[in-house]
Amino acid sequence: MVDLRTLSPLDKETVLASARKTGRAVVVHEAVKRGGVGGDIAAMLMEEAYDDLDGPVLRIAGRNTPIPYNLNIEKACVPSVEDIVAGVLRIV
């Protein structure tokens, strides 16, 4: 698993190596699913590591809505730990 918050010290080859090692990839980010950086990473993985993956890249992202200012409502719009765990369990 590669935490996108730490992606700045990592490069493309590190992400690809991780996906190839496990045969699976889950991309999680708080931004909306459409047009977010996670979509670019998922596309790169599918284009360059497709033959090494045991299934499609799973994307878990924020809801397709502007992120609200209210913290409680914001928490409902971004992926939770439960969302991530459920997604990972779906692909293993």
Side-chain angles (χ1 to χ4, degrees):
M1 177 162 39
V2 177
D3 186 342
L4 291 181
R5 292 174 292 187
T6 62
L7 192 60
S8 58
L10 300 176
D11 63 10
K12 180 171 108 171
E13 292 308 316
T14 303
V15 174
L16 288 169
S18 178
R20 288 177 174 136
K21 179 179 177 182
T22 62
R24 303 185 189 282
V26 177
V27 178
V28 179
H29 63 105
E30 291 183 347
V32 297
K33 195 172 195 178
R34 291 185 296 237
V37 68
D40 287 342
I41 293 170
M44 181 265 301
L45 287 165
M46 290 300 293
E47 290 171 356
E48 300 188 32
Y50 179 81
D51 292 333
D52 300 306
L53 297 175
D54 295 329
V57 175
L58 175 65
R59 292 189 299 152
I60 301 172
R63 310 293 183 262
N64 285 318
T65 183
I67 300 296
Y69 179 73
N70 180 289
L71 183 59
N72 291 327
I73 300 172
E74 177 183 344
K75 288 179 182 178
C77 292
V78 298
S80 67
V81 171
E82 293 81 16
D83 295 333
I84 297 167
V85 170
V88 170
L89 291 175
R90 260 192 359 242
I91 69 164
V92 293

